[in-house]
Amino acid sequence: MGVALEQFFIFVGLLVCLVYLVKWVRFSRYILRYFWKVLPKSFLKSMGQWAVITGAGDGIGKAYSFELARRGLNVVLISRTLKKLQAAAAEIECTTGSSVKIIQADFTKDNIYEYIREKLKGLEIGILVNNVGMLPNLLPSHFLDTPDEIQNVIHCNITSVVKMTQLILKHMESRQKGLILNISSGVALFPWPLYSMYSASKVLTPYAVSTPMTKHLHTNMVTKTADEFVQESLNYVTIGDETCGCLTHELLRSFLSLVPSWVLYSSAFQKKYMEYLKHNSNIK
């Protein structure tokens, strides 16, 4: 009996060591790509002539549009605010020389996809960035206190990813090449108290990025500008099925995985987190 128990604990110990070894290998790949740009410069352009970006009017989507255009792709910007699209398109064409198409569409609706399909006809689309997203409220709130926008959140955060991928993936498959980036959120990696609606609908998982949606959070070592996040995230597009998009966010993910759930759910933590958001954003 004693020998069997000893072998069992040895097996468990080896299993734990293996798990942490896998985590270290994953993390070491981030460090390598942070300091050495191992992705060929021609990789993104080799996917196809055009990149399609949803939620491209501002924030992360706009930053992806500029960065992909700088790297030689033509871009299709899709968002609901025509003035923002026109301004971004003019700036991209002027600064990069790439061709730009704009499509005005409201992703809180579910009847827009045939219109988008028609607008995309004939384009060799190599990259799709499913970026559009909707945060009901930056300040944490209980699920039953969530603003009455649940259907809009579902259409914007979930339906858009499925429908846009369905539209474009079949053409990528026929050419046997293509890249799809689904921009999710770090709060979708764990059960996140007071963000249940957003985290459940956003299951590339960045944490804090300073954008209009996050009320322009003050930037620091963890909170990136949209441009900083996008430029770094493109180094990791071949690293695996899921990535936090930047080294500091990957470190934060590793740290939060060690925090007991009761700490996150405690009223003291939630109060401090609320104070942090109010202090570091433009919320009055």
Side-chain angles (χ1 to χ4, degrees), residues 155-174:
H155 282 323
C156 192
N157 292 359
I158 301 176
T159 306
S160 65
V161 176
V162 176
K163 290 287 192 178
M164 289 302 300
T165 302
Q166 186 180 42
L167 282 180
I168 292 173
L169 183 59
K170 61 180 66 176
H171 301 293
M172 292 180 173
E173 184 183 33
S174 66

Side-chain angles (χ1 to χ4, degrees), residues 99-116:
S99 298
V100 183
K101 292 181 179 292
I102 61 174
I103 301 176
Q104 184 182 19
D106 184 353
F107 284 99
T108 64
K109 314 296 182 187
D110 64 352
N111 60 350
I112 61 173
Y113 296 98
E114 191 55 42
Y115 170 72
I116 293 175

Side-chain angles (χ1 to χ4, degrees), residues 202-230:
K202 277 287 190 182
V203 157
L204 200 50
T205 51
Y207 281 91
V209 179
S210 181
T211 67
M213 187 177 75
T214 58
K215 308 299 182 186
H216 298 287
L217 286 169
H218 299 164
T219 57
N220 51 43
M221 185 184 298
V222 173
T223 303
K224 302 282 189 176
T225 67
D227 288 339
E228 289 171 341
F229 171 77
V230 165

